[in-house]
Amino acid sequence: MRIRAAVVDDAEALTDLHLDVWEEAYAGLMPDQVFAERRSLRSARIDRWRTNIETGPISNLVAEADEPGRLLGFASSGPARDDDPGLPSLELSALYVRSERYGTGLGHALFEAAVGGSAAYLWVLDGNQRATAFYERQGFRFDGETKADPVGIERRMVRG
């Protein structure tokens, strides 16, 4: 397994990974129709990943299995998207690994590659205890900010 920068040719595998890991991470936290709707928009999601990888200010890293083309996780980080001068300038916008890799250190390796020891912030879905515990171990704390998202309430966590 290796962690590397995502390339445009990863867009399809990254889309499939993203769809899979959302279902694994959020089962029971979101209605099943959210997952079905996301899957129905697969080709648009592939195009969005291509565009994001080519042009976005976000750094996208993938964890690739030994067999070519099989992605095990990804992390996205970059400039803060929230207009709040008190926040760190780095936002971790995504960090997911396949459930088969939970507890193996892969999430931590992706986190270190994307954020390292930098001050940063992120948004976590309310009720996502696995993610909350992981981020707390990395030094993040809730700052009291929340936002309503179509898939649920998100809570902001900040470090530094």
Side-chain angles (χ1 to χ4, degrees):
M1 191 270 318
R2 71 180 178 125
I3 294 174
R4 61 172 175 77
V7 296
V8 173
D9 287 346
D10 292 322
E12 189 169 353
L14 196 44
T15 296
D16 292 336
L17 170 68
H18 200 179
L19 292 168
D20 292 346
V21 295
W22 253 58
E23 291 176 14
E24 293 168 354
Y26 300 132
L29 294 175
M30 295 180 189
D32 288 343
Q33 69 257 25
V34 170
F35 307 129
E37 182 179 328
R38 288 173 56 84
R39 286 205 179 268
S40 74
L41 301 171
R42 181 178 178 270
S43 44
R45 292 183 165 285
I46 292 169
D47 291 341
R48 192 169 327 137
W49 269 113
R50 280 189 185 114
T51 300
N52 289 345
I53 292 166
E54 284 181 322
T55 64
I58 303 293
S59 169
N60 296 291
L61 302 173
V62 295
E64 185 175 47
D66 291 334
E67 60 269 24
R70 173 137 162 76
L71 300 182
L72 302 172
F74 76 96
S76 301
S77 61
R81 295 176 294 173
D82 293 84
D83 187 22
D84 184 337
L87 286 175
S89 60
L90 179 64
E91 179 182 4
L92 178 64
S93 53
L95 175 62
Y96 295 96
V97 299
R98 292 189 182 278
S99 62
E100 69 197 52
R101 293 301 176 120
Y102 288 173
T104 66
L106 177 58
H108 186 260
L110 279 164
F111 175 84
E112 285 297 316
V115 175
S118 299
Y121 78 96
L122 57 93
W123 291 92
V124 63
L125 185 67
D126 191 38
N128 189 345
Q129 297 302 330
R130 175 180 289 281
T132 297
F134 174 85
Y135 294 127
E136 286 175 339
R137 286 191 304 273
Q138 312 316 313
F140 286 80
R141 299 293 176 257
F142 289 111
D143 72 351
E145 291 296 317
T146 63
K147 66 179 176 181
D149 189 272
V151 296
I153 300 296
E154 291 186 88
R155 300 175 64 200
R156 192 167 66 195
M157 298 183 82
V158 180
R159 179 178 77 178

